[in-house]
Structure formats: C-alpha cells, structure tokens
Amino acid sequence: MDDDAVFKALADSSRRQLLDRLYERNGQTLSALCEDLEMSRQAVAKHLAILEEANLVSSEKHGREKLHFINAVPINGIAERWINKFERQHLSALSALKKALEDEDSH
C-alpha cells in the first residue's frame, strides 16, 4: 500500500466528498456521482482516477455502465499505522483537559 498516494488522495475535499457519497451509496456511476456537485463531469472523473490510483475506489463494468465502489482497506491501514498507535485514553484525557481550559477562558 502506498501511504503517500492515500494521503494525497484524502488531502482534497472534493475527493473526500466523493468517498462520502460512495460510503452512503456504494456502486454509483459517474453520472450519479456528478449529481448535485459543483464540479464538471471531467473534474469528477479526474478525482476518481486519483482515488483509484490510491486504491480507495475500484470500478466494475456492468453492461454499458461503469460502477464505482469504495475500498476502505487503505484507510483502515492508515488508521492502524498512524492513528491507533496513539493511546486513545491519553488522547481522551488531553482532549478533556483542553476543553476544560477553553471553557474556563470563555467565562
């Protein structure tokens, strides 16, 4: 797995939006993914190509349609390597302390 390609793909808000749309309804065509987006069809296709290069999206031909599917395996790998190694208990304690200090400052 190429972590750099995954991070690059996830760095763009438009690509994250496409992943969110596929998470909500997996197996969509390019036309369906373009609905209600303020992006051209060509822009969506380019974003999908980057997501496919990062192995975050795969596609399958069904007759004349090409369906796009989310692949969560690379994201899970990132989570296991970069997020889960930090102890949640410590992060929760730091987060609670930060919130308490911010609440004190606002009073």
Side-chain angles (χ1 to χ4, degrees):
M1 178 172 55
D2 183 2
D3 287 352
D4 289 340
V6 175
F7 278 114
K8 177 186 172 190
L10 294 174
D12 185 90
S13 64
S14 296
R15 290 192 281 273
R16 291 192 307 270
Q17 185 179 19
L18 290 171
L19 289 173
D20 287 340
R21 292 174 75 115
L22 287 171
Y23 177 79
E24 291 169 10
R25 197 180 93 228
N26 215 5
Q28 295 186 59
T29 64
L30 178 60
S31 296
L33 285 168
C34 289
E35 287 177 15
D36 303 323
L37 290 180
E38 295 182 14
M39 275 189 279
S40 68
R41 183 179 173 91
Q42 293 80 9
V44 172
K46 285 183 181 182
H47 285 303
L48 283 173
I50 292 169
L51 290 168
E52 285 189 39
E53 286 174 24
N55 199 27
L56 292 167
V57 168
S58 63
S59 58
E60 244 178 62
K61 282 278 218 174
H62 284 275
R64 295 179 61 189
E65 292 184 321
K66 184 177 180 182
L67 302 179
H68 302 277
F69 299 89
I70 193 168
N71 177 17
V73 172
I75 295 172
N76 186 56
I78 295 285
E80 286 179 353
R81 180 170 179 199
W82 296 101
I83 298 168
N84 293 344
K85 70 179 177 182
F86 300 102
E87 293 182 53
R88 291 186 192 270
Q89 191 174 35
H90 288 104
L91 291 176
S92 295
L94 287 174
S95 179
L97 177 60
K98 179 180 183 268
K99 184 174 178 356
L101 291 172
E102 289 172 347
D103 287 347
E104 281 182 18
D105 286 345
S106 66
H107 293 291

